[in-house]
Amino acid sequence: MTPWMEQLNNTGEFAAIDREFALFLLRRANLPENEELFCAGLLASRAVRAGHTCCSLEALGGTSFPDAGSQLRLPSVEHWRRALLAPECSAVCTTPGDDADTIPATPLILDAGNRLYLQRYFLYEAAVAAAVVGRNRIAAEPPPCAAGELAEMCRNFAASTGPDGIDRQMLAVLTAASRHFSIITGGPGTGKTTVVAALLALQLRHRPELSIALTAPTGKAQARLRRSLVEDGSKLDIPQEIRRRLEELQAGTLHALLKPDLRNGGFRFNRENPLPYDLVILDECSMVPLSLMARFLEALRPGARVVLLGDKDQLASVEAGAVLAGFCDSATLDAVPPAVANAYAAQFGLRPAVVADTLPLTGCAVELTRTHRFSETNRIGQISRAIRRLDQECNPEELAAGIATLDVPEFRTREVAEDALPGELRKFLTVSGSLAGVRDLVARGTEAALEEAFALLDSRKLLAAVRQGPRGVDALNAAAREILRLTRDDAPGLPLLIRSNDRRLGLYNGDIGLIWPERGGGVRVRFPDNPRHYTLAELPPHEPALAMTIHQSQGSSFGEVLIVLPDRESPVLTRELLYTAITRARRRVELRAKQAMIEAALRNRTRRNSGLPVRMAEFAALERIPELPSFQSGIPE
């Protein structure tokens, strides 16, 4: 390597895998001292590890790396692009033309906007864009409802009427019923599952034979989806047979729906063997990484409808991609085509505005903004709305100051020194009706006691922004175990969080189980809605779950949360992280943080490099969408 390459490699910004990939590119191209290619390989690999699907040469070209004070300068964009696309640099190629059906076979792909991809992630992005645009082109009309039928069926629902008099929930029902691909986004408590209950009842009324699948990324999220659907379905004015169908619907994780194929590392359901459903509801899709979304969309049969639910303002997936955000960036939210506007007018007497633009997903995405979980004066609701509208209504300093001084029953913020933190944890964990009660339930050891124990685990949760350090998850878990006398690794009543997928056992990352005594002696680990009793030895990688990272808490909700932020700035402290943490609470938030750290989080937005909106616009401009390679046989390298 040249001295410049050695200097770049030694900046501390890259992992061993980044370096090995960059060296592989040099060997492949037989260019052992090509600085531009080596740099591109390092940065493209590093981008995926950071959650991006690509890296932007526009943002990086000509800059001092890794920061403004560095003497190391990256190539200019123009020079860099010329070098990467030179004939002798066989490891990089540009994206295919408008009429090309072939996918570039080089390890790196550079698009017209100077986005640099690992080939795998370009393929994922292209596959998702092609699937969505293609499904959105399928002709569809609103169901043949009699005038006022939907209004009568949903008369027991709380209205979600906006300033224009339009009920966004009912608009979302008609939008989803009229499209083969639709998105319903909104914060917690805005009625996304209410929309699904009404949608399913409406569809079953007109198509009793409809086959339906409910799914979510984690076991916790799929269980909550099913419970919410049953609860919302009970409010509908519908025939008993339709109500029974809604109650009988089962939900499963996305991995379980696609059925992992242990032989080849893929899924049993794929393009060649599509899912046997007419309608699929995918909840918490902000948590779904780009790679899994590509596999999911590929597995849908051509005529199936899909409805995505999620909160676009939440944290993006842990793995690479920000799919829901990319979809919402490709649409004018709440814009409806004329057919949906006419259908709404026939039901409710008002006609929504019809907005026409060139964005590829306009007309199939609705945002719900009115929360039914909190009153207008509830501070949890007020703060979460303020964070979502921060740039329009106030600045980070003002909002941080307001949050830092909150002291009301449902939201209290305090700055707590490190040595006082154990006392805060003890008060939170041992108050009447809290996690300390799990020990009494363990002593009973019955199935009913197990159900109560899981309910207690959902009543209170410790959340941290970071994993290491005195205010991180590891330290909080250790302190909580001491307080609750659960220090043994096999202590009955200790909750465990699964950290990786195990397809053979049917356990997936994010599942939470409980160590529970067996009648014949010993202990097993039990999981909600799972009849199996697991030994500790057979579990995949796991950890105590008295405290969780905020990332891990996505898809869950708890009665009360104690949120602990670090006492110094960290890259993980973002606006989306704070919003996600606060919105995990149903009743009460206890925030332990310095005002400066709250302000730092509000200032720092999560920005993930992605070309998904661009890919969708490109496919939308084509008369014929090319058929991309199937993922079943693996992605070509």
Side-chain angles (χ1 to χ4, degrees):
M1 292 193 292
T2 67
W4 186 90
M5 293 160 69
E6 290 283 5
Q7 186 183 359
L8 178 65
N9 182 59
N10 294 331
T11 56
E13 293 293 310
F14 304 105
I17 192 172
D18 305 330
R19 180 178 184 273
E20 289 306 313
F21 176 69
L23 292 175
F24 158 75
L25 295 179
L26 298 182
R27 291 193 300 271
R28 188 183 193 277
N30 196 25
L31 298 171
E33 295 189 344
N34 188 302
E35 295 179 343
E36 295 83 6
L37 180 58
F38 182 75
C39 182
L42 287 175
L43 291 167
S45 177
R46 170 179 175 262
V48 170
R49 288 192 301 102
H52 308 287
T53 56
C54 58
C55 65
S56 170
L57 299 193
E58 294 287 348
L60 293 166
T63 64
S64 297
F65 186 85
D67 53 55
S70 173
Q71 298 299 310
L72 185 68
R73 184 167 292 275
L74 299 182
S76 69
V77 176
E78 297 78 10
H79 171 78
W80 207 349
R81 184 177 181 90
R82 283 196 305 271
L84 292 178
L85 298 180
E88 64 272 16
C89 190
S90 58
V92 187
C93 66
T94 55
T95 53
D98 288 350
D99 58 351
D101 286 359
T102 59
I103 294 296
T106 55
L108 291 179
I109 295 176
L110 183 63
D111 77 359
N114 289 319
R115 297 174 193 85
L116 184 69
Y117 291 85
L118 299 182
Q119 185 220 37
R120 177 181 297 269
Y121 285 90
F122 176 80
L123 281 174
Y124 286 142
E125 208 169 78
V128 168
V132 169
V133 171
R135 198 164 297 275
N136 207 32
R137 286 181 175 179
I138 301 174
E141 290 292 330
C145 299
E149 178 182 342
L150 180 59
E152 180 61 23
M153 186 174 71
C154 301
R155 59 192 173 94
N156 295 322
F157 284 153
S160 291
T161 306
D164 56 0
I166 302 299
D167 188 319
R168 289 296 183 276
Q169 285 184 335
M170 297 301 101
L171 187 66
V173 172
L174 290 171
T175 298
S178 307
R179 316 290 302 197
H180 279 75
F181 176 85
S182 56
I183 300 164
I184 302 165
T185 184
T190 52
K192 297 185 290 295
T193 54
T194 300
V195 170
V196 171
L199 168 68
L200 296 182
L202 184 65
Q203 297 283 48
L204 289 169
R205 178 174 283 187
H206 294 278
R207 287 187 60 193
E209 76 287 357
L210 194 73
S211 57
I212 301 164
L214 307 175
T215 188
T218 66
K220 194 83 169 177
Q222 59 89 8
R224 192 161 56 86
L225 169 63
R226 185 178 181 278
R227 286 196 302 268
S228 299
L229 186 58
V230 170
E231 180 181 340
D232 290 332
S234 68
K235 302 173 188 175
L236 290 166
D237 188 0
I238 51 178
Q240 190 60 37
E241 61 197 48
I242 296 179
R243 190 183 311 282
R244 190 180 307 113
R245 280 289 307 274
L246 293 179
E247 292 172 351
E248 291 173 351
L249 286 173
Q250 297 299 311
T253 64
L254 192 49
H255 280 86
L257 177 75
L258 296 174
K259 294 197 182 313
D261 189 334
L262 301 180
R263 295 169 301 176
N264 60 19
F267 293 98
R268 283 177 50 196
F269 288 108
N270 48 66
R271 184 187 300 171
E272 289 75 31
N273 180 38
L275 291 163
Y277 299 106
D278 302 312
L279 174 61
V280 182
I281 310 294
L282 171 57
D283 196 11
E284 295 290 354
C285 70
S286 64
M287 299 170 62
V288 180
L290 179 69
S291 57
L292 187 56
M293 183 63 76
R295 302 274 187 154
F296 166 66
L297 292 172
E298 180 189 56
L300 296 172
R301 66 190 191 191
R305 297 172 185 260
V306 59
V307 181
L308 305 183
L309 312 178
D311 186 348
K312 66 180 179 62
D313 296 306
Q314 267 191 193
L315 286 164
S317 61
V318 175
E319 298 176 48
V323 181
L324 179 60
F327 287 157
C328 291
D329 287 344
S330 299
T332 297
L333 300 178
D334 301 342
V336 297
V340 174
N342 293 337
Y344 187 94
Q347 292 296 312
F348 301 99
L350 288 175
R351 191 171 191 274
V354 175
V355 179
D357 58 36
T358 59
L359 294 176
L361 298 188
T362 290
C364 64
V366 177
E367 182 177 19
L368 307 177
T369 56
R370 181 174 177 179
T371 180
H372 302 281
R373 178 178 296 177
F374 307 115
S375 68
E376 290 297 318
T377 58
N378 183 285
R379 292 303 177 88
I380 299 176
Q382 287 180 346
I383 294 300
S384 60
R385 287 193 297 272
I387 293 174
R388 296 180 75 177
R389 301 196 298 258
L390 183 57
D391 296 327
Q392 292 80 33
E393 297 190 357
C394 65
N395 60 46
E397 297 96 324
E398 292 171 338
L399 184 54
I403 294 174
T405 56
L406 270 178
D407 190 2
V408 295
E410 70 273 17
F411 200 123
R412 187 174 67 149
T413 304
R414 289 183 61 193
E415 180 179 330
V416 176
E418 182 182 324
D419 57 359
L421 196 53
E424 295 288 311
L425 301 184
R426 183 174 296 278
K427 285 188 291 185
F428 184 77
L429 294 170
T430 60
V431 70
S432 176
S434 65
L435 298 184
V438 172
R439 287 196 303 271
D440 298 329
L441 295 169
V442 166
R444 284 163 47 190
T446 63
E447 292 295 312
L450 177 65
E451 189 173 335
E452 288 184 49
F454 278 118
L456 270 186
L457 291 180
D458 283 345
S459 68
R460 294 192 162 219
K461 186 63 69 177
L462 302 173
L463 299 180
V466 296
R467 178 164 293 279
Q468 305 298 326
R471 304 171 81 90
V473 161
D474 292 345
L476 295 182
N477 261 319
R481 293 178 67 179
E482 288 283 350
I483 291 167
L484 297 174
R485 302 200 298 277
L486 296 172
T487 53
R488 285 172 40 197
D489 289 339
D490 62 348
L494 179 67
L496 299 176
L497 174 73
I498 300 299
R499 292 295 307 275
S500 66
N501 297 332
D502 190 312
R503 299 167 177 177
R504 179 181 57 85
L505 292 174
L507 295 175
Y508 297 96
N509 188 11
D511 290 349
I512 294 180
L514 192 61
I515 299 178
W516 199 251
E518 291 284 282
R519 288 184 178 178
V523 296
R524 292 290 188 273
V525 183
R526 303 288 301 276
F527 292 83
D529 302 316
N530 186 335
R532 292 189 62 175
H533 299 206
Y534 298 88
T535 66
L536 282 163
E538 68 182 322
L539 290 183
H542 56 277
E543 66 184 24
L546 293 166
M548 302 168 66
T549 65
I550 297 167
H551 267 96
Q552 292 168 332
S553 74
Q554 286 193 96
S556 302
S557 67
F558 308 100
E560 302 181 22
V561 296
L562 174 62
I563 305 166
V564 180
L565 298 188
D567 57 4
R568 56 182 59 86
E569 290 196 34
S570 165
V572 304
L573 273 182
T574 65
R575 185 181 304 183
E576 291 78 9
L577 184 99
L578 185 59
Y579 170 83
T580 300
I582 290 170
T583 54
R584 296 312 90 200
R586 298 188 298 269
R587 296 189 303 272
R588 182 178 173 86
V589 170
E590 293 278 353
L591 177 60
R592 300 295 175 260
K594 297 178 180 178
Q595 180 175 330
M597 295 303 99
I598 300 172
E599 183 179 326
L602 293 175
R603 284 185 178 280
N604 187 18
R605 299 214 62 177
T606 301
R607 305 280 186 190
R608 286 201 169 176
N609 294 329
S610 167
L612 185 57
V614 175
R615 301 283 88 78
M616 285 191 286
E618 289 173 348
F619 282 115
L622 299 179
E623 289 188 12
R624 180 183 65 84
I625 297 175
E627 184 171 304
L628 301 176
S630 170
F631 294 118
Q632 180 59 12
S633 56
I635 299 174
E637 296 290 355

